[in-house]
Amino acid sequence: MQIENIKNWLKINLFSSWYYSLISIIIIYYFLLIFPKFLDWAVFNATFIGNEKSDCKSSGACWVFIKVWFNKLIYGFYPEKDLWRINLSFFILIFTISLSFFIKDKFKIYILFFLILIFPIIAFVLIKGGFGLEYIETREWGGLSLTFILTFFGIIFAFPLGILLALGRRSELFFIRYFSLLFIEFWRGIPLITVIFAAAIMFPIFLPQGLNVDKLLRVAVGIAIFESAYIAEVVRGGLQSLPKGQYEAAKSLGMGYWKMNFLVILPQAIKAVIPGITNTFIALFKDTPLIILVGLLELLGMVNLAKSNSYWLGLAVEGYLFVGIIFWFFSFILSRYSQNLEKKFSSERY
């Protein structure tokens, strides 16, 4: 039975017609040609043990490079004695998100409230300093932890702002509708790299003398606003997919505008556009390396710094492969989670 299922899967997905079969055979051929060589370089002839470049074999990958630079790739130049502050912040985040899987639905609103309003303050105080903790400049932040910080900040601020913009664009009030329209089209019409550059370099020019806003905060806000425009359009697509009967039914029950949207309309619209929202979040996660252009070194920025070190020259492939695996892994996790949500909400409709 299992063999029969495999045969059916191969026939449907790889060999359904003569040209699909030809393409599949070509891909399989090149995979079998390249993958053993890659495996030989990355695993069998690779060097995993050692602390110096001289410990590496010339014929394989030098993973010693990643081992030596690992802490900086994860934390940037954050002081080693204070790494517990970053670890504690991410532990609180992971614990809170994990807790949401085990509590009843009626309590999940409190988890969401904590993540949006309370956790960012706790994390900011822990990582940056305050209440007796040593102050750490944001220029010392970096690596994978900075990538996650920007991604989380972008999601928790871009998502609610995008929902409000989507509702605003469908509003019957002329000013709100056209303000939302202009806001969305303006931010969608310029590249993210321009937004980051303007936030980091140009924005301080327009501030009053003596007033300074941290560069990382400026960049994070710029990214969040930029992504909110894309989320707004995704959510608007979900709103437009709902039949008018849903609105009329909510109004017949005496619901006002906000109650109707947040209790009846938005839950259904968001369920319908989970793939689009997930795609936007993944794009946000993968766009964070652009901040290297304004001197902020997230994961890819730290790899670029490490490979340009005179002692470790020639090991860029290992660094970029490490970054690629990290980005693919977390993008895959987010994608799989969204698919599970789709199945769950799809089953609830029937």
Side-chain angles (χ1 to χ4, degrees):
M1 189 68 179
Q2 188 70 25
I3 295 175
E4 192 65 31
N5 289 336
I6 293 173
K7 287 181 178 178
N8 290 334
W9 185 91
L10 290 172
K11 184 177 180 180
I12 293 170
N13 294 280
L14 299 180
F15 305 103
S16 57
S17 63
W18 71 266
Y19 50 88
Y20 282 144
S21 300
L22 180 61
I23 293 171
S24 298
I25 290 170
I26 293 172
I27 291 174
I28 292 170
Y29 170 75
Y30 278 103
F31 177 79
L32 294 175
L33 186 69
I34 295 170
F35 185 70
K37 294 180 181 179
F38 171 78
L39 201 62
D40 190 52
W41 174 82
V43 180
F44 300 125
N45 285 328
T47 305
F48 297 92
I49 301 172
N51 296 302
E52 303 290 339
K53 187 178 180 180
S54 57
D55 295 326
C56 297
K57 302 174 185 176
S58 59
S59 58
C62 182
W63 298 116
V64 174
F65 169 66
I66 301 299
K67 175 188 172 184
V68 172
W69 282 85
F70 185 78
N71 265 12
K72 284 188 169 52
L73 294 177
I74 302 300
Y75 302 106
F77 295 101
Y78 204 86
E80 287 193 21
K81 63 183 178 64
D82 293 309
L83 292 182
W84 65 269
R85 291 156 60 171
I86 295 180
N87 294 335
L88 179 59
S89 299
F90 281 102
F91 173 79
I92 294 172
L93 175 63
I94 294 169
F95 176 78
T96 306
I97 294 174
S98 302
L99 187 64
S100 66
F101 291 101
F102 302 100
I103 63 174
K104 296 181 179 179
D105 289 343
K106 64 179 180 180
F107 295 116
K108 290 183 179 180
I109 187 65
Y110 300 108
I111 296 287
L112 185 63
F113 176 82
F114 174 81
L115 289 174
I116 294 177
L117 299 178
I118 299 176
F119 173 74
I121 298 173
I122 295 174
F124 182 80
V125 171
L126 274 173
I127 298 173
K128 191 172 180 68
F131 298 101
L133 294 173
E134 182 183 351
Y135 183 81
I136 308 293
E137 294 279 354
T138 53
R139 58 186 172 83
E140 298 184 51
W141 301 14
L144 184 60
S145 60
L146 181 57
T147 298
F148 284 149
I149 289 169
L150 283 172
T151 303
F152 178 77
F153 183 91
I155 289 174
I156 65 170
F157 286 98
F159 186 59
L161 179 58
I163 289 175
L164 292 176
L165 288 169
L167 292 173
R169 188 161 180 176
R170 291 171 54 83
S171 173
E172 297 178 357
L173 299 176
F174 177 87
F175 175 76
I176 294 178
R177 184 170 71 254
Y178 280 94
F179 171 80
S180 300
L181 173 63
L182 289 172
F183 186 95
I184 291 169
E185 296 304 327
F186 173 78
W187 289 104
R188 289 175 67 209
I190 55 178
L192 179 56
I193 189 172
T194 305
V195 175
I196 293 173
F197 181 80
I201 308 300
M202 296 178 63
F203 181 74
I205 299 173
F206 302 99
L207 292 176
Q209 190 174 4
L211 180 62
N212 182 41
V213 179
D214 188 87
K215 182 196 289 188
L216 179 59
L217 180 60
R218 298 196 303 267
V219 169
V221 170
I223 292 174
I225 292 174
F226 178 86
E227 296 295 338
S228 70
Y230 286 87
I231 292 174
E233 287 300 277
V234 172
V235 173
R236 187 171 70 91
L239 292 172
Q240 290 184 169
S241 68
L242 297 180
K244 289 184 179 180
Q246 295 293 321
Y247 294 87
E248 293 169 355
K251 289 177 181 178
S252 69
L253 293 174
M255 292 185 177
Y257 176 82
W258 294 108
K259 196 172 183 180
M260 173 185 69
N261 277 290
F262 282 96
L263 294 182
V264 177
I265 304 303
L266 275 175
Q268 296 181 73
I270 291 173
K271 286 178 186 178
V273 295
I274 287 175
I277 292 173
T278 303
N279 187 57
T280 305
F281 289 163
I282 291 175
L284 167 61
F285 176 57
K286 293 192 295 184
D287 283 342
T288 53
L290 290 174
I291 66 173
I292 190 177
L293 297 170
V294 293
L296 297 171
L297 302 178
E298 44 63 70
L299 179 58
L300 184 59
M302 290 305 304
V303 167
N304 285 331
L305 180 68
K307 77 177 180 62
S308 63
N309 184 286
S310 59
Y311 183 77
W312 295 98
L313 287 176
L315 298 174
V317 174
E318 288 86 342
Y320 290 138
L321 185 59
F322 176 74
V323 171
I325 291 171
I326 293 291
F327 273 89
W328 178 86
F329 175 76
F330 286 104
S331 297
F332 178 75
I333 293 295
L334 189 57
S335 177
R336 293 298 300 175
Y337 177 65
S338 74
Q339 289 176 22
N340 289 336
L341 284 179
E342 285 181 70
K343 290 178 181 178
K344 176 184 175 182
F345 291 134
S346 177
S347 63
E348 288 179 354
R349 295 193 189 109
Y350 302 101

